Short mmCIF file of all heavy atoms in Angstrom, two decimals:
data_model
loop_
_atom_site.label_atom_id
_atom_site.label_comp_id
_atom_site.label_asym_id
_atom_site.label_seq_id
_atom_site.Cartn_x
_atom_site.Cartn_y
_atom_site.Cartn_z
N PRO A 97 4.86 24.99 -19.18
CA PRO A 97 3.65 24.31 -19.66
C PRO A 97 2.35 24.80 -18.99
O PRO A 97 1.38 25.11 -19.68
CB PRO A 97 3.92 22.84 -19.34
CG PRO A 97 5.40 22.73 -19.37
CD PRO A 97 5.94 24.03 -18.87
N HIS A 98 2.36 24.90 -17.63
CA HIS A 98 1.09 25.28 -16.98
C HIS A 98 0.72 26.73 -17.28
O HIS A 98 -0.44 27.10 -17.31
CB HIS A 98 1.15 25.02 -15.48
CG HIS A 98 2.25 25.74 -14.78
ND1 HIS A 98 3.47 25.16 -14.53
CD2 HIS A 98 2.33 27.00 -14.29
CE1 HIS A 98 4.24 26.03 -13.91
NE2 HIS A 98 3.58 27.15 -13.75
N ILE A 101 -1.11 26.96 -20.60
CA ILE A 101 -2.54 26.63 -20.46
C ILE A 101 -3.27 27.88 -19.97
O ILE A 101 -4.36 28.22 -20.45
CB ILE A 101 -2.74 25.46 -19.46
CG1 ILE A 101 -1.93 24.22 -19.87
CG2 ILE A 101 -4.21 25.11 -19.30
CD1 ILE A 101 -2.26 23.60 -21.19
N ARG A 102 -2.65 28.59 -19.04
CA ARG A 102 -3.27 29.82 -18.51
C ARG A 102 -3.40 30.89 -19.57
O ARG A 102 -4.27 31.74 -19.49
CB ARG A 102 -2.44 30.35 -17.34
CG ARG A 102 -2.66 29.53 -16.10
CD ARG A 102 -1.81 29.99 -14.97
NE ARG A 102 -1.87 28.97 -13.94
CZ ARG A 102 -1.21 29.00 -12.81
NH1 ARG A 102 -0.42 30.00 -12.55
NH2 ARG A 102 -1.33 28.04 -11.93
N ARG A 113 -6.55 10.88 -21.85
CA ARG A 113 -5.91 10.81 -20.52
C ARG A 113 -6.75 11.59 -19.52
O ARG A 113 -6.97 12.78 -19.67
CB ARG A 113 -4.50 11.38 -20.60
CG ARG A 113 -3.50 10.33 -21.00
CD ARG A 113 -2.13 10.88 -21.06
NE ARG A 113 -1.55 11.11 -19.77
CZ ARG A 113 -0.32 11.59 -19.61
NH1 ARG A 113 0.41 11.88 -20.66
NH2 ARG A 113 0.17 11.77 -18.41
N LEU A 114 -7.19 10.86 -18.52
CA LEU A 114 -8.06 11.46 -17.50
C LEU A 114 -7.55 11.10 -16.12
O LEU A 114 -6.72 10.19 -15.99
CB LEU A 114 -9.49 10.94 -17.66
CG LEU A 114 -10.23 11.39 -18.92
CD1 LEU A 114 -11.43 10.50 -19.15
CD2 LEU A 114 -10.69 12.83 -18.79
N PHE A 115 -8.05 11.76 -15.12
CA PHE A 115 -7.77 11.36 -13.73
C PHE A 115 -8.75 10.23 -13.43
O PHE A 115 -9.88 10.46 -13.00
CB PHE A 115 -7.95 12.55 -12.79
CG PHE A 115 -7.01 13.69 -13.10
CD1 PHE A 115 -7.46 14.85 -13.70
CD2 PHE A 115 -5.66 13.58 -12.81
CE1 PHE A 115 -6.59 15.88 -14.00
CE2 PHE A 115 -4.78 14.61 -13.11
CZ PHE A 115 -5.24 15.76 -13.70
N LEU A 116 -8.32 9.01 -13.74
CA LEU A 116 -9.25 7.87 -13.81
C LEU A 116 -9.94 7.51 -12.49
O LEU A 116 -11.04 7.00 -12.49
CB LEU A 116 -8.52 6.64 -14.35
CG LEU A 116 -8.16 6.70 -15.83
CD1 LEU A 116 -7.30 5.51 -16.21
CD2 LEU A 116 -9.40 6.74 -16.70
N ASN A 117 -9.25 7.78 -11.38
CA ASN A 117 -9.85 7.40 -10.08
C ASN A 117 -10.72 8.51 -9.50
O ASN A 117 -11.15 8.41 -8.37
CB ASN A 117 -8.75 7.02 -9.10
CG ASN A 117 -8.06 5.74 -9.51
OD1 ASN A 117 -8.72 4.73 -9.72
ND2 ASN A 117 -6.76 5.78 -9.69
N MET A 118 -10.92 9.54 -10.28
CA MET A 118 -11.76 10.65 -9.79
C MET A 118 -13.10 10.65 -10.53
O MET A 118 -13.23 10.04 -11.60
CB MET A 118 -11.05 11.97 -10.01
CG MET A 118 -9.79 12.12 -9.21
SD MET A 118 -9.20 13.81 -9.38
CE MET A 118 -7.68 13.70 -8.49
N ASP A 122 -15.10 15.97 -10.59
CA ASP A 122 -13.73 16.36 -10.19
C ASP A 122 -12.85 16.59 -11.41
O ASP A 122 -12.05 17.53 -11.44
CB ASP A 122 -13.11 15.28 -9.29
CG ASP A 122 -13.66 15.32 -7.87
OD1 ASP A 122 -14.35 16.31 -7.55
OD2 ASP A 122 -13.42 14.38 -7.10
N ILE A 125 -13.79 19.95 -12.85
CA ILE A 125 -13.29 21.06 -12.02
C ILE A 125 -11.79 21.25 -12.22
O ILE A 125 -11.30 22.38 -12.33
CB ILE A 125 -13.62 20.81 -10.53
CG1 ILE A 125 -15.14 20.89 -10.31
CG2 ILE A 125 -12.92 21.84 -9.63
CD1 ILE A 125 -15.59 20.45 -8.93
N LEU A 126 -11.06 20.14 -12.32
CA LEU A 126 -9.60 20.25 -12.50
C LEU A 126 -9.24 20.93 -13.81
O LEU A 126 -8.17 21.52 -13.93
CB LEU A 126 -8.95 18.87 -12.41
CG LEU A 126 -8.76 18.37 -10.97
CD1 LEU A 126 -8.41 16.89 -10.95
CD2 LEU A 126 -7.68 19.16 -10.25
N THR A 129 -8.86 24.77 -13.16
CA THR A 129 -7.98 25.28 -12.09
C THR A 129 -6.94 26.26 -12.59
O THR A 129 -6.32 26.95 -11.80
CB THR A 129 -7.24 24.12 -11.40
OG1 THR A 129 -6.61 23.35 -12.41
CG2 THR A 129 -8.16 23.27 -10.59
N ARG A 177 -13.39 18.55 -19.95
CA ARG A 177 -12.34 19.09 -19.06
C ARG A 177 -11.51 20.15 -19.79
O ARG A 177 -11.17 21.18 -19.24
CB ARG A 177 -11.44 17.96 -18.58
CG ARG A 177 -10.53 18.40 -17.43
CD ARG A 177 -9.46 17.38 -17.13
NE ARG A 177 -8.65 17.15 -18.30
CZ ARG A 177 -7.99 16.01 -18.54
NH1 ARG A 177 -8.08 15.01 -17.70
NH2 ARG A 177 -7.26 15.87 -19.61
N LEU B 207 -8.08 18.70 -4.10
CA LEU B 207 -8.37 18.13 -5.42
C LEU B 207 -7.12 18.22 -6.31
O LEU B 207 -6.79 17.29 -7.05
CB LEU B 207 -9.54 18.89 -6.06
CG LEU B 207 -10.11 18.29 -7.34
CD1 LEU B 207 -10.68 16.92 -7.10
CD2 LEU B 207 -11.18 19.21 -7.92
N LYS B 208 -6.42 19.34 -6.20
CA LYS B 208 -5.18 19.49 -6.98
C LYS B 208 -4.10 18.52 -6.48
O LYS B 208 -3.36 17.95 -7.27
CB LYS B 208 -4.68 20.94 -6.90
CG LYS B 208 -5.53 21.88 -7.71
CD LYS B 208 -5.11 23.30 -7.48
CE LYS B 208 -6.14 24.23 -8.08
NZ LYS B 208 -5.99 25.60 -7.66
N ARG B 210 -4.64 15.62 -5.25
CA ARG B 210 -4.99 14.29 -5.76
C ARG B 210 -4.68 14.17 -7.25
O ARG B 210 -4.30 13.11 -7.74
CB ARG B 210 -6.47 13.99 -5.50
CG ARG B 210 -6.75 13.70 -4.02
CD ARG B 210 -8.08 13.04 -3.83
NE ARG B 210 -9.17 13.96 -4.03
CZ ARG B 210 -10.27 13.67 -4.72
NH1 ARG B 210 -10.42 12.50 -5.28
NH2 ARG B 210 -11.23 14.56 -4.85
N ALA B 211 -4.83 15.29 -7.96
CA ALA B 211 -4.50 15.29 -9.39
C ALA B 211 -3.01 14.99 -9.58
O ALA B 211 -2.62 14.26 -10.48
CB ALA B 211 -4.86 16.63 -10.02
N GLU B 214 -2.47 11.32 -9.09
CA GLU B 214 -2.99 10.51 -10.20
C GLU B 214 -2.08 10.56 -11.43
O GLU B 214 -1.75 9.53 -11.99
CB GLU B 214 -4.36 11.05 -10.61
CG GLU B 214 -5.47 10.73 -9.66
CD GLU B 214 -6.11 9.40 -9.98
OE1 GLU B 214 -6.41 9.15 -11.14
OE2 GLU B 214 -6.27 8.61 -9.03
N ASP B 215 -1.68 11.75 -11.84
CA ASP B 215 -0.91 11.89 -13.08
C ASP B 215 -0.32 13.30 -13.13
O ASP B 215 -1.00 14.25 -13.49
CB ASP B 215 -1.85 11.65 -14.28
CG ASP B 215 -1.10 11.53 -15.59
OD1 ASP B 215 0.01 12.09 -15.69
OD2 ASP B 215 -1.62 10.88 -16.50
N GLU B 217 1.97 14.64 -15.10
CA GLU B 217 2.08 15.26 -16.42
C GLU B 217 0.73 15.80 -16.88
O GLU B 217 0.64 16.91 -17.42
CB GLU B 217 2.59 14.20 -17.42
CG GLU B 217 3.34 14.79 -18.59
CD GLU B 217 3.88 13.70 -19.47
OE1 GLU B 217 4.99 13.20 -19.19
OE2 GLU B 217 3.20 13.33 -20.44
N LEU B 218 -0.30 15.02 -16.61
CA LEU B 218 -1.65 15.45 -16.98
C LEU B 218 -2.06 16.67 -16.16
O LEU B 218 -2.71 17.59 -16.67
CB LEU B 218 -2.63 14.29 -16.76
CG LEU B 218 -4.07 14.53 -17.16
CD1 LEU B 218 -4.19 14.87 -18.64
CD2 LEU B 218 -4.92 13.31 -16.85
N ALA B 219 -1.69 16.67 -14.88
CA ALA B 219 -2.00 17.82 -14.03
C ALA B 219 -1.35 19.08 -14.59
O ALA B 219 -1.98 20.14 -14.65
CB ALA B 219 -1.52 17.56 -12.60
N GLU B 220 -0.12 18.94 -15.03
CA GLU B 220 0.59 20.09 -15.63
C GLU B 220 -0.15 20.52 -16.90
O GLU B 220 -0.34 21.72 -17.14
CB GLU B 220 2.03 19.67 -15.95
CG GLU B 220 2.96 20.77 -16.37
CD GLU B 220 3.56 21.59 -15.22
OE1 GLU B 220 3.75 21.04 -14.13
OE2 GLU B 220 3.81 22.77 -15.45
N ALA B 221 -0.59 19.53 -17.69
CA ALA B 221 -1.32 19.85 -18.93
C ALA B 221 -2.67 20.50 -18.64
O ALA B 221 -3.22 21.19 -19.50
CB ALA B 221 -1.51 18.58 -19.75
N ALA B 222 -3.19 20.27 -17.43
CA ALA B 222 -4.47 20.91 -17.06
C ALA B 222 -4.23 22.30 -16.47
O ALA B 222 -5.17 22.96 -16.04
CB ALA B 222 -5.21 20.03 -16.06
N GLY B 223 -2.97 22.73 -16.43
CA GLY B 223 -2.67 24.09 -15.97
C GLY B 223 -2.29 24.18 -14.50
O GLY B 223 -2.24 25.27 -13.94
N ILE B 224 -2.04 23.02 -13.86
CA ILE B 224 -1.66 23.04 -12.44
C ILE B 224 -0.14 23.17 -12.33
O ILE B 224 0.58 22.38 -12.94
CB ILE B 224 -2.16 21.75 -11.73
CG1 ILE B 224 -3.69 21.71 -11.76
CG2 ILE B 224 -1.65 21.69 -10.29
CD1 ILE B 224 -4.29 20.40 -11.28
N ASP B 225 0.30 24.15 -11.56
CA ASP B 225 1.74 24.33 -11.32
C ASP B 225 2.15 23.23 -10.33
O ASP B 225 2.00 23.39 -9.11
CB ASP B 225 1.98 25.73 -10.75
CG ASP B 225 3.45 26.03 -10.57
OD1 ASP B 225 4.25 25.08 -10.57
OD2 ASP B 225 3.79 27.21 -10.43
N ARG B 228 4.64 23.96 -7.41
CA ARG B 228 4.04 24.85 -6.41
C ARG B 228 3.10 24.08 -5.47
O ARG B 228 3.17 24.23 -4.25
CB ARG B 228 3.27 25.96 -7.13
CG ARG B 228 2.69 26.97 -6.22
CD ARG B 228 2.02 28.07 -7.02
NE ARG B 228 1.22 28.89 -6.13
CZ ARG B 228 0.11 29.48 -6.48
NH1 ARG B 228 -0.33 29.38 -7.71
NH2 ARG B 228 -0.56 30.22 -5.62
#
Side-chain angles (χ1 to χ4, degrees):
Chain A
H98 58 265
I101 304 298
R102 284 177 192 177
R113 273 180 75 179
L114 291 163
F115 299 107
L116 289 173
N117 292 306
M118 294 188 185
D122 284 348
I125 292 171
L126 281 167
T129 52
R177 193 191 59 206
Chain B
L207 189 62
K208 287 174 191 166
R210 287 196 287 136
E214 286 272 313
D215 190 334
E217 207 176 274
L218 183 59
E220 189 81 31
I224 296 172
D225 184 343
R228 184 177 168 212

